[in-house]
Amino acid sequence: MQRRAFVRLAALGATAGPFYAFGSRPARAEEWYDVVVVGAGLAGLTAARTLMNAGKTVLVLEAQDRVGGRTWSQRVGENDFIDIGGQWIGKGHDRMYALVREAGLQTFPTFTAGQSIFRHRAHNKRYQGEAPPMGLFALLAASKAIQRLDHTAATLSLDAPWQSRDAWQLDNQSLESWIDATVANRKARTFLKRAAEGELCQPVSDISALQALAAANGTGSFSQAEKVQDGALRDRILGGAQGVSHFLHRQLHTAVKLNTPVSFVTQLADHVQVGNEHFSVGARKVVITAPLPVVAKIQFTPELPEEKRMLIGSMTMGTVLKCHAVYPTPFWRDSGLNGASTCLDEVVELSVDNSVPGSARGILTSLIHADRAKQLLRLSPEARKQTLLAGYTHLFGEQAATPLVYHDYSFSDNPWVGGAYSGFFKPGIFSKYGAHHAKACGHIHWAGTETALQFRGFMEGAVLSGERVARELLVLLKS
């Protein structure tokens, strides 16, 4: 699996029109709260619960008909489930593990027993262990490059990477150009670019080296972000990762209002009004947890500061297509395979055995990222399904062609999320405006995994951002 193998080697403005038309002034708010939270993902629910437990009145407004944001789990049988969104927790994800325990949920390890497959030029090679069999020189070149990436990432400031030495130069250099200048071996370059795009979900030509390095540093290292054993991809949550959000929702109960998109935020001297043409509430403070490309659809009065508008107009969400195929049994295990694969020139970039412990069924899951995901999303659903299943047959044989259930999804098709796993800025923006990403704009405060400097793009980052903004508000609300 590419996510494993990588580690094992060691200016648009913010005043775009709202979704709903409304008058020049919003209707007078009939309800008042200490804090209104926009978004019922892990960040918003965590912030709301922390504030409510401190005695504050809180309302959470969610555009969708469910909670969870980029976590979304569905049953595919009596004992089986799939995570359509985020699924992994691992080393350093202390807050997520604590929430899992508090919710009475259980974790189980990512399946790794058996051999993995490395596919290149239409040829499968089985291997055991950490390093894919792509040749000694390619392995050495990739390993050396990863070590250099991790070393450089460790030199950045964790709290303010935009202030680090050489931040401007790194932010104006693409990750692709860094890899090209650093790695001479062609196969190693291809492997590293695919691995990096598998983590960032955007073409390496579009991501600055600074942002990639900062993300790695916030996770521990590039290696840590991709590692299964004792890494960020170590465990899954039994029943689905969305179970944590369901738990938080039950605690907040009526404080969460679903199917309520926010189209305007009007900031006055001592409060804000938030809502849409049908609904308006007042609050002392508002927390916005939506990704910035979604925030661009909200009308702010007065308009946000220039620095924030530059960030909003410069962020692009990642593109990832997640595909699940459910089979009567995990047949690949019968031949000694663990379901994990890494492919350098196939549409199926990687696969993993996502089968549920205790179930007789087998589940293969693959993740396709960046431009390759965009190409697949242009196909019809049936054509996309056949393309993915053909890739599975190349890896696991003809049995893979006929699953009981097939499902794929991309958050790029969700207007309230816009993509996954996270969003990144155009080169040159982060070093100049990064300090304003989580900075309050008057009564408007910000959270969400994009604002996290640790574990950005992971569920842990979302929870940490919710706790951070809640602490921020509790200090201000004392006055």
Side-chain angles (χ1 to χ4, degrees), residues 20 22 36 51 69 75 191 205 216 228 240 244 262 307 337 401 414 417:
Y20 300 92
F22 53 90
V36 168
L51 291 165
R75 290 202 169 274
F191 175 77
S205 58
V228 176
V244 174
V262 168
E307 295 87 353
L337 294 171
N414 186 323
V417 178

Side-chain angles (χ1 to χ4, degrees), residues 332-354:
W332 50 93
R333 296 182 186 179
D334 296 337
S335 57
L337 294 171
N338 59 22
S341 66
T342 300
C343 307
L344 294 191
D345 47 16
E346 288 271 348
V347 66
V348 178
E349 298 176 22
L350 59 90
S351 65
V352 59
D353 185 332
N354 256 359

Side-chain angles (χ1 to χ4, degrees), residues 10-259:
L12 292 178
T15 56
F19 285 126
Y20 300 92
F22 53 90
S24 58
R25 297 190 62 175
R28 180 176 177 81
E30 296 180 357
E31 301 176 29
W32 292 86
Y33 299 87
D34 289 320
V35 180
V36 168
V37 178
V38 179
L42 282 168
L45 294 172
T46 297
R49 186 179 75 148
T50 304
L51 291 165
M52 186 174 286
N53 287 345
K56 305 304 176 184
T57 57
V58 182
L59 179 67
V60 181
L61 302 179
E62 169 57 49
Q64 301 184 87
D65 60 359
R66 62 173 182 83
V67 300
R70 277 165 271 182
T71 61
W72 187 13
S73 309
Q74 287 190 1
R75 290 202 169 274
V76 288
E78 185 177 352
N79 300 312
D80 298 286
F81 70 91
I82 56 174
D83 278 312
I84 297 169
Q87 68 174 51
W88 279 297
I89 59 176
K91 185 176 182 179
H93 298 187
D94 299 336
R95 300 305 303 136
M96 277 299 298
Y97 278 110
L99 282 171
V100 168
R101 290 192 297 270
E102 187 181 353
L105 300 171
Q106 297 179 336
T107 63
F108 63 95
T110 300
F111 187 83
T112 58
Q115 291 182 309
S116 303
I117 292 176
F118 176 73
R119 184 172 177 83
H120 182 52
R121 294 180 178 175
H123 181 65
N124 293 346
K125 290 184 179 180
R126 292 188 175 207
Y127 67 100
Q128 190 89 33
E130 298 184 344
M134 58 181 183
L136 177 61
F137 292 114
L139 285 172
L140 290 174
S143 178
K144 183 177 180 181
I146 291 171
Q147 291 175 10
R148 183 172 175 182
L149 281 167
D150 285 343
H151 174 76
T152 306
T155 67
L156 299 180
S157 165
L158 183 61
D159 297 328
W162 47 83
Q163 293 180 351
S164 301
R165 180 182 177 183
D166 299 328
W168 186 89
Q169 290 88 340
L170 288 169
D171 200 30
N172 284 276
Q173 179 183 21
S174 72
L175 181 58
E176 179 178 53
S177 66
W178 188 96
I179 292 173
D180 288 341
T182 305
V183 185
N185 184 279
R186 181 182 298 178
K187 188 183 292 186
R189 285 200 306 270
T190 301
F191 175 77
L192 287 170
K193 289 177 183 180
R194 281 225 167 182
E197 289 179 350
E199 179 62 31
L200 304 171
C201 302
Q202 297 194 28
V204 288
S205 58
D206 296 345
I207 297 288
S208 75
L210 177 64
Q211 291 182 88
L213 292 165
N217 191 34
T219 309
S221 66
F222 274 96
S223 304
Q224 189 66 36
E226 298 289 337
K227 193 174 183 181
V228 176
Q229 300 294 338
D230 199 32
L233 312 180
R234 180 173 58 199
D235 291 319
R236 296 183 61 207
I237 300 169
L238 194 63
Q242 194 183 6
V244 174
S245 292
H246 287 314
F247 166 71
L248 295 172
H249 186 197
R250 288 193 296 271
Q251 293 199 318
L252 293 166
H253 194 44
T254 57
V256 178
K257 189 174 179 66
L258 301 177
N259 298 304

Side-chain angles (χ1 to χ4, degrees), residues 312-374:
I312 291 172
S314 298
M315 176 174 279
T316 301
M317 295 299 292
T319 305
V320 56
L321 178 68
K322 192 171 187 180
C323 312
H324 306 270
V326 183
Y327 299 92
T329 66
F331 61 86
W332 50 93
R333 296 182 186 179
D334 296 337
S335 57
L337 294 171
N338 59 22
S341 66
T342 300
C343 307
L344 294 191
D345 47 16
E346 288 271 348
V347 66
V348 178
E349 298 176 22
L350 59 90
S351 65
V352 59
D353 185 332
N354 256 359
S355 307
V356 178
S359 172
R361 291 184 171 183
I363 303 176
L364 284 174
T365 297
S366 59
L367 295 158
I368 298 94
H369 306 90
D371 287 343
R372 292 171 294 282
K374 292 178 181 178

Side-chain angles (χ1 to χ4, degrees), residues 401-456:
T402 54
L404 298 173
V405 177
Y406 173 86
H407 182 279
D408 67 45
Y409 185 78
S410 173
F411 280 101
S412 297
D413 292 332
N414 186 323
W416 308 113
V417 178
Y421 310 124
S422 184
F424 289 91
F425 302 107
K426 298 175 183 176
I429 295 294
F430 190 53
S431 59
K432 188 174 182 179
Y433 298 107
H436 298 272
H437 194 186
K439 184 178 179 180
C441 303
H443 300 307
I444 304 170
H445 296 253
W446 308 90
T449 192
E450 281 77 27
T451 69
L453 293 172
Q454 284 188 285
F455 301 108
R456 175 179 181 166

